[in-house]
Amino acid sequence: MEWLISEDPIIACSSGNNENTAISLLRISGLKNFKLLNSLFNKDLNNLVPRKASFIKIVDKSHVIDEVVLTFFKGPHSYNGENILELAVHGNPINVRRIIELFKKHGVREANPGEITYRALRNNKMTLTQVEGLDTLLNAGSIDLFDNGMSHLSGELQKEYLNLRDSYLNLRGAIEILIDFSEDVGEEQSSKLFKDHFENFKSLIHILKRRTRSPRSHLLKPKVVLLGVTNAGKSTLFNKLLEEKRSIVSEIKGTTRDYISEYFSHEGAEFQVVDTAGLRESEDEIEVEGIKLSKELYSDAFYKILVINPFLSDELGVDSLEADAVVFTHSDLKGFDDKVRDFDNLSGNSKRFSLGPIGPLLELGPIGPESKTGPIGPESKLGPIGPESEIGPIGPQEGGPIEPLGLLKNHIYRKYSDLMAEKPILPDRQRNIINSLATMVDGISQLIDGVNDPAILSNEINMLDAEVNGLLGITTSDDVLNNIFSNFCIGK
Amino acid sequence: MNKNFYDILIIGGGHAGAEAAWAASEFNLRVGLVTMPSIPIASAPCNPAVGGVGKGQVVRELDALGGLMPILADYAGIQFRILNESKGAAVRSTRVQIDKELYAEKAEELLSERKNLSVIRESIVDISLNENYLVTAKSGELFSATKIIITTGTFLNGKLHTGEVQNAGGRFDCGPSVSLQTLVKETGNIKRFKTGTPARLLRDSINFEVMDPQPSDPLAFNFHFKNRDNKRAQRQLDCYLTRTQPATLELIRENKEKSPIFNGQIEGVGPRYCPSIEDKAFRYPDKDGHHVFVEPEGLNLDTFYPNGISTSLPVEIQEEFIRTIPGLEKAVIAVPGYAVEYDVVDTTELNIALEHKKLPGLYFAGQLNGTSGYEEAAGQGFIAGINAGLAVLDKERFILNREESYIGVMVEDLVSNERDEPYRLFTARSESRLFTREDNSYFRIGPYRKKLGLDKEIDAFIDGYFLEREILIKLVKKTGFRATKKWSKHFEEQKYGKIQENITLEELVKRSHLDPEVTLAYELKRMGVNFLPQVVCDIANSLKYEGYLERSINQQKKLSKLKEKKVSWTVLSENVNISFECRQRIKKIQPETFQQLSMINGIRPATLAYVASNRV
Ligand SMILES: Cc1cc2nc3c(=O)[nH]c(=O)nc-3n(C[C@H](O)[C@H](O)[C@H](O)COP(=O)(O)OP(=O)(O)OC[C@H]3O[C@@H](n4cnc5c(N)ncnc54)[C@H](O)[C@@H]3O)c2cc1C
Ligand SMILES: Nc1nc2c(ncn2[C@@H]2O[C@H](COP(=O)(O)OP(=O)(O)OP(=O)(O)O)[C@@H](O)[C@H]2O)c(=O)[nH]1
Ligand SMILES: [Mg+2]
């Protein structure tokens, strides 16, 4: 963790350097002056006007290495408070490498991941919450997640933490008044003051806690998992979601024996969809293992889809499992509607969204004029919408009727964007602190109802101090810092 | 040798000075206590009481240290009370109403008994530093000393206010001590504080019938270890409780412009924690009444002190508003209330022994350090007195830790932070108040006293205390109850709860619904074993708080790495990334660790976060 204290000038390519691009952006941070590098340019760097781009040549012993655009940001008015040189160089990785090596020979060190940003933290340009927001933003797999990171980066979350700290300080004040000044303030009044402040603090904590309730994995890499008995049509649906034939489809039961996963995008969010081994009694060790895995994947899934072929009898009780959506397959077969009606009262989670049927293959086209849920436009290729669809009304919207697959994807996305609308707090560090604060506060609640010794209460309340300050980044150890910054890409 | 040469000369015979003289004269050194001729030693210019929340703890710490105040308070005590009784042992405090005449008489008597201590009745007008300190009295008499302890209270540039009437003076009946200022100015930034006192009322003019009497509590322990039989030295009197009325506050609000506090006549900052009635009336406009404790000033004095209505309004208005209070309708003012403004020295210039950093050998203690209260003054007096003595003898400094004592808390607070209002101790100032209790003061502080190796009598008492403690701990861990019918019945009778399996006495005492002191005392009595009641309380509460204490100690440990992190104030105070205000404070206080930095008033979270993530 030497780098936490290092003041070396550092260099990194901030625009990613894996492919040939037109331009790569190099940043050099922490130069105290230009003595080290002045000989490497064809103009005197001391004449640079801060924040003004100049066209300049990089030279090595009068040999021109590259022609670049250079901008100087003078500390403390820079991204991280240090002097920063930004070089827009020609983007060939070979060229980028050569330039970095050249600067390294002249006393500039290659930066560690996140080191340039770490210096922003060190120089009070950013709070830890902001840094963590930046991390979220840079690694976001969806626009919503990006926005989430952005709002934390802009300091919104920090404001709420400051708010929490104020409430905490008030609470501490109140308990001290209860102990030290109740003769002056009055016994009743000081107890009430304490109760009010405690309730206020507690509710703030629980509001924050609600924002940590969705598992991180759901937010970062939402998994859509298909589950059903063998031959239900999971792989068929999987391929449709991906719009490509990725998983083997066959009438042989137990075709899929290990799970397969792929990504699809919808509304700017990326989802991982997982096709699993169909459920059935089996002797085959590998298949048994696969089935076990299916169930695990399903139970951890962000979005659970139960795939049911209504013509198959369900001996395993699969159709009573909890699900976000139930998809009925084989709608093209005769008697489908009657069969599906048997499922009207699915005993599992009552709030499931049931959708389908979805025809066997995209090409196989429209079916079911007997559809219950109203008119499907003539152009619809994919036929009727299932009996319990919660997404109504289905009908022509802009661009015509929505086919069930689109509905399903919308529903998946809706669940995701609803979670994101709760403004979830993602960084593990903050989640852990918030959850431990909530546990501690609930413990204090119990003490208030039980022992009610103000000296003990205040002792316990004082112990929250470290956590509250931790949220604000006041009490962070080197390990924590190291952990956070090692997540960053080089050049940030 | 010059007859006027002293090893240690204490200037000011208030509570700080008396305690300093008592402590310093324990060493075999020549000690002098110079004090104004007109004022009794250790007199009580304000509330005639010793102790109180957070302060009772200090008096008990002083007793474990061999101090004077606990002896005087026991001797002059005419009403004993336990404050915060319902709030848990950790914050319980003793408060003793004193007969202020007896208190001062006893102080004079005990100090005069010390052979190596001279009490000198002079007013000091000048102090200068040559090889030694040279001290000039008003009479022209000269003294010299190697160590000086200044404890002149509110007398530095003191100014009294009652309505528009202003007088120079440190108290009602005496002049200020102006000339010392020149010296004190050199010690750094001078600030101006104010404090006030209510009118004294004549006994015969008060109708006690309509007030609630507050009798002395026979269960409150005496302060001094030799009085552990808990007999009171004096006859006990009642105090009385009444309340201000809406009309009282209305009257005060109507006369705002006549109050020196609000019309700009007083510039000094008053204590937020012991406010005048004017402060209360304006600061809490929603409240329509406050407690007033009507307290006797002595067995033979016919004046009463109405605690809670300190004021500097003109006398006529004082009388008018006092007469709106039930029981005081016909009250006659013997001495009007007044406020006093005075200079205080900048204690951040002092080290942890209360010695000036740039003027070695010069110590400061008491109200001129910006504190308020007799106990605070006495606590500092002890620290300054002992340390001056140790310094003369070239011995190591005597420091009480903030984790273990309120005196330690106070001294550290004083020297590490600038005051912007008078400093008063209360329990919240201690981070470890589950430990810094009244009941375990001998356990906490005794060993410090022993290390001084001064007075064999206390040492013997403390040894005995520790021995009893050890035996009792063994006893509670080893004795217990079997889960039999017999004990089941006993548990039921005593409302101890169920007895499912064998249980030790320790476990019983820890049961959260029981009062640990009562339970332990009862069980010991039932077994027929006798322990010092103080030891019983100490152990009972130690058991009760053990778990909580451990948790907080563990947490402290986790944090201590950061707390002990060294910071460089020079670097910080020049860092443009820290707000100007914070840098000014950092430059002033010169913190050396993260802990000290975080204790500076007004340091912003951003600055702390910045330092936490930095190696500066
Ligand atoms: C009007 C008033 C109201 C107060 N109100 C409160 C209150 O509400 N709450 C509270 O907690 N405390 C209050 N106090 C404070 C309390 O009285 C003091 O904190 C305490 O007495 C301080 O002790 P000390 O030893 O520092 O100073 P003091 O007790 O003031 O003693 C100072 C001593 O120095 C001597 N002296 C001064 N100048 C010289 C000199 N030049 N030469 C020789 N001797 C000198 C004086 O004779 C005096 O004996 C009040 C004090 C006053 C005066
Ligand atoms: N007619 C008709 N056939 C379908 C439909 N959906 C799936 N099938 C057929 O049903 C059979 C099984 O489909 P798969 O998608 O392989 O089923 P699976 O659930 O993945 O089965 P396993 O991997 O063995 O668990 C294939 O022959 C599909 O063509 C449908 O809606 N209509
Ligand atoms: Mg399959």
Side-chain angles (χ1 to χ4, degrees), chain A residues 114 297 314 354 388 401 440 474:
Chain A
L297 283 164
D314 170 28
S354 163
E388 287 161 26
M440 288 163 93
I474 292 181

Side-chain angles (χ1 to χ4, degrees), chain A residues 1 162 224 251 289 334 353 405 472:
Chain A
M1 280 178 270
L162 281 168
V224 177
E251 65 259 14
E289 203 47 46
K334 238 195 162 138
F353 166 77
L405 208 54
L472 285 165

Side-chain angles (χ1 to χ4, degrees), chain A residues 169-354:
Chain A
L169 294 181
N170 283 337
L171 171 62
R172 277 180 71 161
I175 182 101
E176 300 317 341
I177 286 176
L178 180 69
I179 292 173
D180 284 327
F181 303 107
S182 63
E183 288 232 333
D184 302 336
V185 180
E187 193 67 46
E188 231 170 84
Q189 214 161 339
S190 50
S191 319
K192 183 172 175 323
L193 191 72
F194 168 66
K195 289 239 163 69
D196 291 351
H197 281 299
F198 181 73
E199 288 309 321
N200 178 273
F201 180 70
K202 187 173 158 186
S203 79
L204 286 181
I205 290 287
H206 281 283
I207 289 169
L208 284 174
K209 186 180 152 123
R210 237 169 283 142
R211 291 171 63 181
T212 67
R213 70 178 158 185
S214 351
R216 223 171 100 86
S217 57
H218 287 187
L219 298 160
L220 291 180
K221 200 194 253 180
K223 266 200 184 94
V224 177
V225 177
L226 308 177
L227 191 80
V229 297
T230 44
N231 253 348
K234 297 180 295 299
S235 300
T236 310
L237 179 59
F238 179 77
N239 289 342
K240 280 188 180 181
L241 285 167
L242 298 176
E243 296 172 40
E244 65 171 309
K245 288 183 188 162
R246 174 70 183 76
S247 187
I248 301 168
V249 169
S250 86
E251 65 259 14
I252 301 165
K253 291 184 174 179
T255 302
T256 314
R257 305 211 311 173
D258 191 4
Y259 76 92
I260 303 178
S261 84
E262 273 300 334
Y263 291 90
F264 75 89
S265 281
H266 192 65
E267 304 277 347
E270 198 167 59
F271 297 94
Q272 186 184 19
V273 54
V274 187
D275 181 20
T276 63
L279 306 180
R280 66 165 171 177
E281 303 288 356
S282 171
E283 306 272 279
D284 181 321
E285 243 177 75
I286 297 176
E287 193 175 357
V288 167
E289 203 47 46
I291 289 173
K292 204 174 130 211
L293 200 57
S294 300
K295 289 181 178 160
E296 279 170 21
L297 283 164
Y298 189 74
S299 75
D300 292 339
F302 157 73
Y303 192 93
K304 303 181 169 86
I305 301 180
L306 215 49
V307 182
I308 296 178
N309 174 355
F311 295 95
L312 293 178
S313 62
D314 170 28
E315 275 133 23
L316 300 166
V318 177
D319 54 5
S320 60
L321 287 174
E322 188 196 331
D324 293 291
V326 179
V327 172
F328 294 100
T329 57
H330 296 76
S331 61
D332 52 324
L333 298 190
K334 238 195 162 138
F336 173 80
D337 279 3
D338 288 338
K339 284 284 178 196
V340 163
R341 215 159 288 134
D342 296 344
F343 293 87
D344 271 3
N345 301 312
L346 285 175
S347 54
N349 184 353
S350 55
K351 257 228 159 165
R352 61 172 117 177
F353 166 77
S354 163

